[in-house]
Amino acid sequence: MIELKSPAEIERMAVTGQFVGELLAELSETAAVGVNLMDLEHHARRRIKERGAESCYWDYAPSFGRGPFRNVLCLSVNDAVLHGLPHDYVLRDGDLLSLDMAVGIDGWVADSAVSVIVGNPDPADQKLIEATEVALEAGIAAARPGGRLGDISAAIGAVGRRYGYGVNVEFGGHGLGRTMHEAPHVPNDGRARRGMKLEPGLTIAIEPWFCRSTDKIRFDADGWTIRSADGSRTAHSEHTVAITAGGPRILTGRPGRNAGHGDRTADSAATS
Ligand code: MG
Ligand code: MG
């Protein structure tokens, strides 16, 4: 069942979204050569606790993971793209790090992800991240009343292909609000003008991710970390978006240089 949110409920999700956006911006500024992934995880745990927020990841136990998740961040490095387990790893020059987090505040959830490069970037990695950000923008632009769910999927898939990447549809976006994963599923590719009608009050996480040279994935033995099947690098960008009568509203906007949506040009200019 799909639960449409009232404007007041969307405002409450926006409160959570603001915190998620701020913390992700903070974490991506902190990520640098020589920083241990566990420092990022512990920083996030502290900030979440101080804010009185609740991690949606802690104790999360879907069918594919082995044992409940015991972290508040997903940190996926290089060929890891989704559900990366924070572990004792010191970031190296040129690493591509994807940070993903979802928390609830007073019962309302927001979910967002950003990919960054630490140290000297490989231009091919910059292009990969850019593709996920442009795909996210395109997906958000299609999230308007009167449209269909397939419009969002088609917009994301088209950007991926335009950049020359394959598009995997096993993992994609999702509804969210009271919990992290609600209906509908929002695939990263599909057919325009198909699927459910988009109505004001629908709140979804839109999250394109691409691998440099494959659309296939493999899982680590722990069942969590998802990697590109061929070991090529990967990137992931995500925002929580509310469809309103006036169009899409991003609830997890980020301050600063990793704002992602709408800030891409400034961002690439700053890093190139
Ligand atoms: Mg996420
Ligand atoms: Mg998500």
Side-chain angles (χ1 to χ4, degrees), residues 24 27-28 31 37 40 57 73-86 91 94-101 112-118 125 128-129 132-133 207-211 225-226 233-238 254:
L24 269 185
L27 290 164
S28 42
L37 296 183
L40 298 173
Y57 292 170
L73 297 176
C74 289
L75 298 175
S76 306
V77 181
N78 297 337
D79 64 317
V81 63
L82 298 171
H83 307 158
L85 286 172
L91 288 167
D95 274 349
L96 195 169
L97 171 69
S98 298
L99 307 102
D100 192 354
M101 79 177 232
S112 184
V114 63
S115 290
V116 297
I117 299 166
V118 299
D125 288 341
L128 183 67
I129 294 176
T132 65
E133 291 177 350
E207 48 179 314
W209 58 272
F210 304 126
C211 311
T225 308
I226 299 177
R233 291 198 167 187
T234 65
H236 178 208
S237 295
E238 175 180 24
R254 286 185 287 273

Side-chain angles (χ1 to χ4, degrees), residues 56-81:
C56 302
Y57 292 170
W58 196 269
D59 279 345
Y60 183 56
S63 54
F64 51 82
R66 196 160 298 160
F69 203 78
R70 280 297 157 90
N71 297 282
V72 301
L73 297 176
C74 289
L75 298 175
S76 306
V77 181
N78 297 337
D79 64 317
V81 63

Side-chain angles (χ1 to χ4, degrees), residues 14-267:
V15 170
T16 312
Q18 187 184 346
F19 173 71
V20 168
E22 285 170 5
L23 183 47
L24 269 185
E26 213 172 283
L27 290 164
S28 42
E29 290 295 329
T30 308
V33 176
V35 170
N36 194 304
L37 296 183
M38 290 313 295
D39 295 341
L40 298 173
E41 167 67 20
H42 287 292
H43 178 87
R45 284 185 200 175
R46 211 161 41 239
R47 292 276 280 109
I48 288 169
K49 196 171 167 207
E50 281 165 13
R51 183 62 179 77
E54 218 172 289
S55 168
C56 302
Y57 292 170
W58 196 269
D59 279 345
Y60 183 56
S63 54
F64 51 82
R66 196 160 298 160
F69 203 78
R70 280 297 157 90
N71 297 282
V72 301
L73 297 176
C74 289
L75 298 175
S76 306
V77 181
N78 297 337
D79 64 317
V81 63
L82 298 171
H83 307 158
L85 286 172
H87 60 286
D88 181 19
Y89 174 81
V90 175
L91 288 167
R92 295 178 202 167
D93 188 36
D95 274 349
L96 195 169
L97 171 69
S98 298
L99 307 102
D100 192 354
M101 79 177 232
V103 306
I105 296 176
D106 298 328
W108 292 96
V109 167
D111 182 7
S112 184
V114 63
S115 290
V116 297
I117 299 166
V118 299
N120 294 304
D122 178 338
D125 288 341
Q126 286 177 309
K127 181 185 147 201
L128 183 67
I129 294 176
E130 181 183 295
T132 65
E133 291 177 350
V134 173
L136 178 56
E137 279 178 45
I140 292 169
R144 44 184 64 257
R148 300 247 177 200
L149 194 66
D151 298 346
I152 300 173
S153 302
I156 293 170
V159 171
R161 274 186 296 277
R162 196 169 81 221
Y163 272 82
Y165 304 120
V167 183
N168 177 295
V169 290
E170 288 166 81
F171 288 86
H174 48 91
L176 78 174
R178 293 179 198 272
T179 64
M180 174 169 60
H181 289 136
E182 299 178 354
H185 175 56
V186 186
N188 283 335
D189 201 8
R191 295 172 70 181
R193 295 180 295 281
R194 298 296 174 96
M196 68 171 280
K197 263 211 169 110
L198 302 176
E199 286 181 67
L202 182 67
T203 49
I204 50 176
I206 301 178
E207 48 179 314
W209 58 272
F210 304 126
C211 311
R212 255 164 72 164
S213 52
T214 182
D215 60 355
K216 304 278 189 302
I217 52 174
R218 64 185 178 84
F219 290 75
D220 277 4
D222 58 34
W224 287 109
T225 308
I226 299 177
R227 300 178 188 277
S228 64
D230 63 357
S232 64
R233 291 198 167 187
T234 65
H236 178 208
S237 295
E238 175 180 24
H239 274 308
T240 295
V241 176
I243 294 170
T244 75
R249 175 178 171 195
I250 299 173
L251 302 181
T252 45
R254 286 185 287 273
R257 76 176 179 92
N258 291 304
H261 176 72
D263 208 28
R264 183 180 51 79
T265 313
D267 192 20

